[in-house]
Amino acid sequence: MTRTAIITGSTSGIGLGIAEAYAAEGYNIMLNGFGDADEIEATRAALDAKAAGTVAYHGADMTKPDQIADLVAQTEARFGAVDILVNNAGIQHVAPVEEFPLEKWDAIIAINMSSAFHTIRAALPGMKSRGFGRIINVASAHGLVASPYKSAYVTAKHGIIGLTKTIALEAAQHGVTVNAVCPGYVLTPLVEGQIPDTAKARGITEEEVKRDVLLAAQPTKEFVTVEQLGALCVFLAGEAAASMTGTALPVDGGWVAQ
Ligand code: NAD
């Protein structure tokens, strides 16, 4: 049986890495995310050509509950099921709380946290009825510990770990597991984009941000890779992970061990 996975925010970065890993496993994939339409179609077609399963795309905006419900409904209609749901879409904004723009707070809470409530609410009934499901929430080391100037992001990431635990309990007797993965720094567009703002907020250079702020937190002094996260998501989607649920797994080069 070919499993079907939705990965939100998979036109870039970690989500695309997870989609590549699932495509290599032969799953059907529903991509999602923003970007240039031609580039997204090229990404979809390239993945589809490599994959044993079928790779499709839905452009739902993760701030819009009706579009999120449509993403799940369209995936079920096209492939017959949503077996694996990866809530990955996310944005960042870095600023002291007194200056934090209200619309950034609302967008980060909506995309990084509430969207997972909406996808789960739509996808869980089908998973329960089939007796199989894997929900993976891409949280962050910032779901476990804080850093200054990231009030909305740290709040949303702590929140999604609470959601992970709650749904794990609700779904525990239905063959559905719910876990959070908590990456440290991965050099994706999201991280590259916050380097200038962090430099400005702290009054230091961009090189100093990489060395003294980002990798300062990671004892390995190495960025986490999307391939490492993809491999973990493959494991969590498989039978060997059937007894793992309600966890928040750090993949952070030792960051939260400190
Ligand atoms: P990225 O910017 O490369 O990718 C983000 C994805 O989300 C893109 O596909 C983008 O189009 C999509 N997206 C943004 N807003 C959306 C919306 N409203 N609706 C639908 N899709 C939307 O970022 P990334 O670094 O790959 O981050 C992916 C996830 O990993 C995020 O949840 C992020 O918080 C988390 N994370 C990243 C890091 C890191 O160091 N990069 C570390 C820990 C956790």
Side-chain angles (χ1 to χ4, degrees), residues 102-128:
L102 300 186
E103 67 278 9
K104 291 287 183 192
W105 171 274
D106 287 344
I108 290 172
I109 297 298
I111 298 166
N112 297 23
M113 189 180 75
S114 300
S115 71
F117 162 77
H118 294 294
T119 56
I120 290 168
R121 191 169 178 278
L124 189 57
M127 290 178 174
K128 278 179 161 180

mmCIF file of all heavy atoms in Angstrom, residues 102-128:
data_model
loop_
_atom_site.group_PDB
_atom_site.id
_atom_site.type_symbol
_atom_site.label_atom_id
_atom_site.label_comp_id
_atom_site.label_asym_id
_atom_site.label_seq_id
_atom_site.Cartn_x
_atom_site.Cartn_y
_atom_site.Cartn_z
ATOM 1 N N LEU A 102 2.559 43.968 15.540
ATOM 2 C CA LEU A 102 1.374 43.168 15.882
ATOM 3 C C LEU A 102 1.060 42.156 14.794
ATOM 4 O O LEU A 102 0.698 41.007 15.079
ATOM 5 C CB LEU A 102 0.159 44.078 16.095
ATOM 6 C CG LEU A 102 0.270 45.119 17.210
ATOM 7 C CD1 LEU A 102 -1.062 45.850 17.388
ATOM 8 C CD2 LEU A 102 0.696 44.478 18.520
ATOM 9 N N GLU A 103 1.198 42.576 13.520
ATOM 10 C CA GLU A 103 0.830 41.654 12.435
ATOM 11 C C GLU A 103 1.820 40.492 12.338
ATOM 12 O O GLU A 103 1.455 39.395 11.923
ATOM 13 C CB GLU A 103 0.688 42.398 11.094
ATOM 14 C CG GLU A 103 1.948 42.968 10.501
ATOM 15 C CD GLU A 103 2.367 44.316 11.082
ATOM 16 O OE1 GLU A 103 1.777 44.767 12.089
ATOM 17 O OE2 GLU A 103 3.317 44.909 10.537
ATOM 18 N N LYS A 104 3.061 40.700 12.776
ATOM 19 C CA LYS A 104 4.038 39.593 12.791
ATOM 20 C C LYS A 104 3.695 38.607 13.900
ATOM 21 O O LYS A 104 3.817 37.395 13.731
ATOM 22 C CB LYS A 104 5.466 40.125 12.986
ATOM 23 C CG LYS A 104 6.003 40.909 11.810
ATOM 24 C CD LYS A 104 6.332 39.994 10.644
ATOM 25 C CE LYS A 104 6.942 40.791 9.505
ATOM 26 N NZ LYS A 104 7.038 40.038 8.258
ATOM 27 N N TRP A 105 3.301 39.146 15.066
ATOM 28 C CA TRP A 105 2.876 38.249 16.148
ATOM 29 C C TRP A 105 1.733 37.360 15.655
ATOM 30 O O TRP A 105 1.779 36.136 15.773
ATOM 31 C CB TRP A 105 2.443 39.047 17.391
ATOM 32 C CG TRP A 105 1.795 38.181 18.432
ATOM 33 C CD1 TRP A 105 0.475 37.833 18.501
ATOM 34 C CD2 TRP A 105 2.443 37.502 19.516
ATOM 35 N NE1 TRP A 105 0.263 36.989 19.567
ATOM 36 C CE2 TRP A 105 1.440 36.767 20.209
ATOM 37 C CE3 TRP A 105 3.762 37.439 19.981
ATOM 38 C CZ2 TRP A 105 1.725 35.988 21.339
ATOM 39 C CZ3 TRP A 105 4.041 36.660 21.118
ATOM 40 C CH2 TRP A 105 3.036 35.953 21.778
ATOM 41 N N ASP A 106 0.700 37.979 15.063
ATOM 42 C CA ASP A 106 -0.475 37.217 14.617
ATOM 43 C C ASP A 106 -0.106 36.190 13.541
ATOM 44 O O ASP A 106 -0.586 35.060 13.558
ATOM 45 C CB ASP A 106 -1.548 38.173 14.071
ATOM 46 C CG ASP A 106 -2.234 38.962 15.181
ATOM 47 O OD1 ASP A 106 -2.125 38.575 16.362
ATOM 48 O OD2 ASP A 106 -2.873 39.992 14.860
ATOM 49 N N ALA A 107 0.757 36.585 12.610
ATOM 50 C CA ALA A 107 1.123 35.667 11.521
ATOM 51 C C ALA A 107 1.925 34.485 12.052
ATOM 52 O O ALA A 107 1.696 33.335 11.647
ATOM 53 C CB ALA A 107 1.922 36.419 10.447
ATOM 54 N N ILE A 108 2.853 34.737 12.974
ATOM 55 C CA ILE A 108 3.688 33.639 13.501
ATOM 56 C C ILE A 108 2.841 32.669 14.314
ATOM 57 O O ILE A 108 2.965 31.446 14.165
ATOM 58 C CB ILE A 108 4.883 34.201 14.310
ATOM 59 C CG1 ILE A 108 5.871 34.866 13.355
ATOM 60 C CG2 ILE A 108 5.565 33.096 15.125
ATOM 61 C CD1 ILE A 108 7.001 35.628 14.025
ATOM 62 N N ILE A 109 1.941 33.204 15.136
ATOM 63 C CA ILE A 109 1.072 32.310 15.917
ATOM 64 C C ILE A 109 0.183 31.492 14.964
ATOM 65 O O ILE A 109 -0.023 30.287 15.149
ATOM 66 C CB ILE A 109 0.207 33.115 16.927
ATOM 67 C CG1 ILE A 109 1.107 33.825 17.943
ATOM 68 C CG2 ILE A 109 -0.822 32.212 17.616
ATOM 69 C CD1 ILE A 109 1.971 32.937 18.817
ATOM 70 N N ALA A 110 -0.316 32.130 13.905
ATOM 71 C CA ALA A 110 -1.204 31.432 12.960
ATOM 72 C C ALA A 110 -0.449 30.349 12.183
ATOM 73 O O ALA A 110 -0.908 29.201 12.104
ATOM 74 C CB ALA A 110 -1.823 32.442 11.994
ATOM 75 N N ILE A 111 0.689 30.721 11.590
ATOM 76 C CA ILE A 111 1.385 29.786 10.694
ATOM 77 C C ILE A 111 2.142 28.721 11.491
ATOM 78 O O ILE A 111 2.075 27.525 11.174
ATOM 79 C CB ILE A 111 2.351 30.553 9.762
ATOM 80 C CG1 ILE A 111 1.568 31.523 8.873
ATOM 81 C CG2 ILE A 111 3.176 29.583 8.904
ATOM 82 C CD1 ILE A 111 2.426 32.558 8.161
ATOM 83 N N ASN A 112 2.865 29.140 12.526
ATOM 84 C CA ASN A 112 3.744 28.205 13.241
ATOM 85 C C ASN A 112 3.000 27.344 14.256
ATOM 86 O O ASN A 112 3.522 26.320 14.691
ATOM 87 C CB ASN A 112 4.851 28.976 13.975
ATOM 88 C CG ASN A 112 5.785 29.733 13.048
ATOM 89 O OD1 ASN A 112 5.433 30.057 11.916
ATOM 90 N ND2 ASN A 112 6.971 30.035 13.517
ATOM 91 N N MET A 113 1.807 27.762 14.666
ATOM 92 C CA MET A 113 1.103 26.998 15.704
ATOM 93 C C MET A 113 -0.327 26.645 15.299
ATOM 94 O O MET A 113 -0.660 25.474 15.161
ATOM 95 C CB MET A 113 1.093 27.777 17.020
ATOM 96 C CG MET A 113 0.565 26.958 18.186
ATOM 97 S SD MET A 113 0.559 27.881 19.739
ATOM 98 C CE MET A 113 -0.840 28.959 19.478
ATOM 99 N N SER A 114 -1.173 27.627 15.052
ATOM 100 C CA SER A 114 -2.602 27.330 14.842
ATOM 101 C C SER A 114 -2.840 26.493 13.593
ATOM 102 O O SER A 114 -3.791 25.698 13.548
ATOM 103 C CB SER A 114 -3.409 28.630 14.754
ATOM 104 O OG SER A 114 -3.280 29.367 15.946
ATOM 105 N N SER A 115 -1.990 26.646 12.574
ATOM 106 C CA SER A 115 -2.199 25.854 11.351
ATOM 107 C C SER A 115 -2.161 24.358 11.661
ATOM 108 O O SER A 115 -2.890 23.575 11.037
ATOM 109 C CB SER A 115 -1.168 26.206 10.271
ATOM 110 O OG SER A 115 0.107 25.721 10.620
ATOM 111 N N ALA A 116 -1.342 23.951 12.639
ATOM 112 C CA ALA A 116 -1.253 22.526 12.989
ATOM 113 C C ALA A 116 -2.546 22.046 13.638
ATOM 114 O O ALA A 116 -2.973 20.906 13.427
ATOM 115 C CB ALA A 116 -0.060 22.283 13.912
ATOM 116 N N PHE A 117 -3.175 22.906 14.429
ATOM 117 C CA PHE A 117 -4.500 22.571 14.981
ATOM 118 C C PHE A 117 -5.482 22.308 13.843
ATOM 119 O O PHE A 117 -6.228 21.321 13.846
ATOM 120 C CB PHE A 117 -4.988 23.716 15.880
ATOM 121 C CG PHE A 117 -6.466 23.692 16.148
ATOM 122 C CD1 PHE A 117 -7.015 22.805 17.060
ATOM 123 C CD2 PHE A 117 -7.322 24.564 15.467
ATOM 124 C CE1 PHE A 117 -8.385 22.785 17.295
ATOM 125 C CE2 PHE A 117 -8.687 24.549 15.703
ATOM 126 C CZ PHE A 117 -9.228 23.657 16.616
ATOM 127 N N HIS A 118 -5.445 23.182 12.827
ATOM 128 C CA HIS A 118 -6.419 23.056 11.729
ATOM 129 C C HIS A 118 -6.144 21.818 10.863
ATOM 130 O O HIS A 118 -7.075 21.119 10.464
ATOM 131 C CB HIS A 118 -6.414 24.322 10.873
ATOM 132 C CG HIS A 118 -6.912 25.528 11.615
ATOM 133 N ND1 HIS A 118 -8.199 25.658 12.054
ATOM 134 C CD2 HIS A 118 -6.274 26.657 12.021
ATOM 135 C CE1 HIS A 118 -8.354 26.809 12.693
ATOM 136 N NE2 HIS A 118 -7.195 27.437 12.691
ATOM 137 N N THR A 119 -4.879 21.541 10.563
ATOM 138 C CA THR A 119 -4.590 20.344 9.751
ATOM 139 C C THR A 119 -4.951 19.076 10.516
ATOM 140 O O THR A 119 -5.534 18.138 9.963
ATOM 141 C CB THR A 119 -3.107 20.259 9.334
ATOM 142 O OG1 THR A 119 -2.291 20.313 10.503
ATOM 143 C CG2 THR A 119 -2.710 21.335 8.352
ATOM 144 N N ILE A 120 -4.585 19.059 11.802
ATOM 145 C CA ILE A 120 -4.856 17.858 12.618
ATOM 146 C C ILE A 120 -6.362 17.642 12.745
ATOM 147 O O ILE A 120 -6.862 16.522 12.607
ATOM 148 C CB ILE A 120 -4.191 17.992 14.008
ATOM 149 C CG1 ILE A 120 -2.662 17.898 13.889
ATOM 150 C CG2 ILE A 120 -4.720 16.918 14.964
ATOM 151 C CD1 ILE A 120 -1.908 18.291 15.153
ATOM 152 N N ARG A 121 -7.073 18.721 13.002
ATOM 153 C CA ARG A 121 -8.535 18.638 13.158
ATOM 154 C C ARG A 121 -9.170 18.029 11.908
ATOM 155 O O ARG A 121 -10.117 17.242 11.991
ATOM 156 C CB ARG A 121 -9.059 20.053 13.392
ATOM 157 C CG ARG A 121 -10.475 20.130 13.832
ATOM 158 C CD ARG A 121 -10.788 21.557 14.282
ATOM 159 N NE ARG A 121 -12.181 21.667 14.664
ATOM 160 C CZ ARG A 121 -13.168 21.846 13.810
ATOM 161 N NH1 ARG A 121 -12.927 21.949 12.527
ATOM 162 N NH2 ARG A 121 -14.419 21.901 14.229
ATOM 163 N N ALA A 122 -8.621 18.379 10.744
ATOM 164 C CA ALA A 122 -9.186 17.866 9.489
ATOM 165 C C ALA A 122 -8.703 16.448 9.171
ATOM 166 O O ALA A 122 -9.463 15.657 8.603
ATOM 167 C CB ALA A 122 -8.805 18.818 8.344
ATOM 168 N N ALA A 123 -7.463 16.125 9.499
ATOM 169 C CA ALA A 123 -6.879 14.840 9.053
ATOM 170 C C ALA A 123 -7.079 13.707 10.054
ATOM 171 O O ALA A 123 -7.088 12.529 9.660
ATOM 172 C CB ALA A 123 -5.384 15.021 8.777
ATOM 173 N N LEU A 124 -7.227 14.030 11.332
ATOM 174 C CA LEU A 124 -7.281 12.968 12.345
ATOM 175 C C LEU A 124 -8.469 12.016 12.195
ATOM 176 O O LEU A 124 -8.290 10.795 12.376
ATOM 177 C CB LEU A 124 -7.230 13.581 13.756
ATOM 178 C CG LEU A 124 -7.052 12.595 14.911
ATOM 179 C CD1 LEU A 124 -5.788 11.749 14.766
ATOM 180 C CD2 LEU A 124 -7.050 13.335 16.255
ATOM 181 N N PRO A 125 -9.672 12.497 11.857
ATOM 182 C CA PRO A 125 -10.789 11.543 11.734
ATOM 183 C C PRO A 125 -10.491 10.415 10.742
ATOM 184 O O PRO A 125 -10.763 9.240 11.031
ATOM 185 C CB PRO A 125 -11.953 12.425 11.253
ATOM 186 C CG PRO A 125 -11.636 13.780 11.809
ATOM 187 C CD PRO A 125 -10.137 13.899 11.705
ATOM 188 N N GLY A 126 -9.903 10.738 9.597
ATOM 189 C CA GLY A 126 -9.563 9.702 8.611
ATOM 190 C C GLY A 126 -8.504 8.755 9.144
ATOM 191 O O GLY A 126 -8.583 7.529 8.947
ATOM 192 N N MET A 127 -7.498 9.303 9.802
ATOM 193 C CA MET A 127 -6.441 8.451 10.380
ATOM 194 C C MET A 127 -7.028 7.473 11.396
ATOM 195 O O MET A 127 -6.729 6.280 11.390
ATOM 196 C CB MET A 127 -5.375 9.325 11.061
ATOM 197 C CG MET A 127 -4.525 10.142 10.107
ATOM 198 S SD MET A 127 -3.351 11.158 11.055
ATOM 199 C CE MET A 127 -2.373 11.850 9.707
ATOM 200 N N LYS A 128 -7.887 8.011 12.279
ATOM 201 C CA LYS A 128 -8.489 7.147 13.309
ATOM 202 C C LYS A 128 -9.340 6.056 12.661
ATOM 203 O O LYS A 128 -9.299 4.894 13.069
ATOM 204 C CB LYS A 128 -9.382 7.984 14.228
ATOM 205 C CG LYS A 128 -8.647 8.734 15.323
ATOM 206 C CD LYS A 128 -9.699 9.530 16.111
ATOM 207 C CE LYS A 128 -9.236 9.952 17.466
ATOM 208 N NZ LYS A 128 -10.287 10.725 18.178
#
